[in-house]
Amino acid sequence: MTPANILVTGGAGFIGVNFVRYLEANRPDCRITVLDSLTYAGNPQSLAGTRAELVVADIRDQQKVEALLQDREIDTLVHFAAESHVDRSIHGPAAFIETNIIGTMSLLAAARAVWLAGSGRPHRFHHVSTDEVFGTLAPGDPPFCETTPYAPNSPYAASKAGSDHLVRAWHHTYGLEVTTSNCSNNYGPYQFPEKLIPLFLLNALHGKPLPIYGDGQQVRDWLHVEDHCRGIEAVLSQGTVGEIYCIGGGAELANLTVIDTLCAAIDAAFASDPGLATRFPDAPAAHGRPSATLKTHVQDRPGHDRRYAIDCTRARSELGYAAQRDFAQGFAETLAWYLENEPWWRAVMDGSYRDWGERNYRDRS
Ligand code: NAD
Ligand code: TYD
């Protein structure tokens, strides 16, 4: 279908913000409302300069969601809101069940009440999920695809698997028009510095250790966030209702390879721009030492999945999807973005983005 009035849940988080920006650049006909409760991962400053309206609310507030769907005449809901960090799910799984499972059910119930009541109206509920629901791969295994059996290993993955099943059930039982995409590890602008790439990048700039879990030979399929957004938009406009689409970056890399790429890129940036040594005097690269000297192997994450990889055949053949950036290019752009957007990540690191959100949004919700 052709979306017109889109509700983006979790639109103040990493991928949601990039999706809003992608839509504004590529689908200027759409009106975008963001629904986000502004957890630690939600940063309204990331939406600065966009035309999206931010409504601060919890996806578990079914009445509020129903009112939004009615009042804004929403025809398309793209569901990103989630607790998304595996390490946090190990230490505090309850929040993952609350948001990822209960929250998704609440959204589905709101969508059903508004979109399927009476004669119904054209609609789409797109659910954004992860390849982690499929479990872990051995080195020679074929990559995950849409028919891979579910085998989630972390509380995060289990909660996302639960949400995927609910979305499927609301389609089969009630006729809600849904699509789901399962993607691999995203990277790019506006990512909260708890995930591997932004955490290591900022640690390297500040001369802090780069904590490598276990032997660092775990493999992920790295997907630039803009390619992911392109894939979701293709599912919205060309995907088949009730179907699942796997979206990957075609860049299977061991963590150590990613980390070595990151360290080498930072060293090269300092070598070509002497101003960086003044801005980041604690970086080894400011003193001609390799960033790789910060690499530190630490205790492995419990239950750490060894390998993820995605086979995008369905998305390619049905939607014409293909990742447009290889990792070298995507990472170089990401490094440049973090170097150019120091105020953004400073506000995240010192917590002031939260005060800004409180002042500008919470009171108005
Ligand atoms: P994120 O943690 O950066 O952002 C999540 C957003 O959801 C935040 O803005 C947060 O405030 C909001 N949120 C959390 N709980 C909420 C609630 N109860 N009500 C309303 N809003 C709430 O996450 P992300 O990396 O942007 O991931 C977005 C989606 O993509 C998630 O569903 C995640 O599972 C999925 N995904 C992410 C990746 C990745 O590499 N980042 C990979 C695969 C799938
Ligand atoms: P992460 O960005 O947390 O994504 P996910 O766990 O969803 O794949 O981690 C990516 C990989 O990097 C994963 O194998 C765990 C590893 N990792 C580290 O080695 N050290 C760290 O400090 C972090 C955050 C991740």
Side-chain angles (χ1 to χ4, degrees), residues 84-87 130-132 154 156 184-186 191-200 203 209-222 254-256 258-259 296 298-301 304-308:
S84 69
H85 191 40
V86 174
D87 290 327
T130 169
D131 58 2
E132 304 195 24
S154 70
Y156 163 67
S184 54
N185 286 62
N186 284 222
Q191 189 168 28
F192 194 86
E194 63 183 352
K195 304 279 167 62
L196 179 75
I197 287 181
L199 175 73
F200 278 37
N203 278 11
L210 309 179
I212 301 166
Y213 297 159
D215 64 4
Q217 293 298 345
Q218 303 83 4
V219 171
R220 300 291 183 261
D221 176 349
W222 292 95
N255 289 344
L256 279 178
V258 170
I259 294 160
T296 310
V298 298
Q299 194 177 14
D300 207 353
R301 172 190 276 172
H304 198 171
D305 284 338
R306 201 67 185 160
R307 174 179 166 234
Y308 304 142

Side-chain angles (χ1 to χ4, degrees), residues 124-341:
R124 174 71 67 83
F125 186 114
H126 181 73
H127 176 55
V128 179
S129 191
T130 169
D131 58 2
E132 304 195 24
V133 298
F134 300 124
T136 188
L137 294 167
D141 287 347
F144 302 131
C145 68
E146 291 78 3
T147 53
T148 303
Y150 275 43
N153 288 322
S154 70
Y156 163 67
S159 68
K160 292 296 290 187
S163 66
D164 293 7
H165 295 322
L166 291 173
V167 171
R168 175 188 162 93
W170 255 249
H171 171 64
H172 282 272
T173 304
Y174 304 115
L176 196 69
E177 303 206 343
V178 307
T179 41
T180 294
S181 50
N182 295 82
C183 70
S184 54
N185 286 62
N186 284 222
Y187 67 100
Y190 301 105
Q191 189 168 28
F192 194 86
E194 63 183 352
K195 304 279 167 62
L196 179 75
I197 287 181
L199 175 73
F200 278 37
L201 206 156
L202 297 187
N203 278 11
L205 293 180
H206 293 94
K208 294 183 182 167
L210 309 179
I212 301 166
Y213 297 159
D215 64 4
Q217 293 298 345
Q218 303 83 4
V219 171
R220 300 291 183 261
D221 176 349
W222 292 95
L223 170 64
H224 190 276
V225 66
E226 192 177 298
D227 281 324
H228 182 200
C229 294
R230 181 177 302 108
I232 293 172
E233 203 279 322
V235 176
L236 287 180
S237 54
Q238 299 164 64
T240 304
V241 167
E243 283 298 349
I244 295 164
Y245 295 90
C246 283
I247 301 176
E252 258 195 77
L253 297 169
N255 289 344
L256 279 178
T257 307
V258 170
I259 294 160
D260 287 336
T261 304
L262 181 147
C263 289
I266 290 175
D267 295 348
F270 274 72
S272 64
D273 177 358
L276 290 177
T278 314
R279 284 171 63 194
F280 306 109
D282 296 328
H287 309 283
R289 290 198 305 276
S291 302
T293 52
L294 297 170
K295 289 192 324 191
T296 310
H297 287 267
V298 298
Q299 194 177 14
D300 207 353
R301 172 190 276 172
H304 198 171
D305 284 338
R306 201 67 185 160
R307 174 179 166 234
Y308 304 142
I310 281 195
D311 174 353
C312 297
T313 303
R314 175 182 287 173
R316 188 168 51 244
S317 59
E318 291 184 23
L319 313 173
Y321 166 80
Q324 291 184 3
R325 281 181 180 79
D326 61 21
F327 185 74
Q329 184 197 351
F331 179 74
E333 289 175 16
T334 303
L335 172 59
W337 188 88
Y338 277 86
L339 290 175
E340 283 162 16
N341 288 275

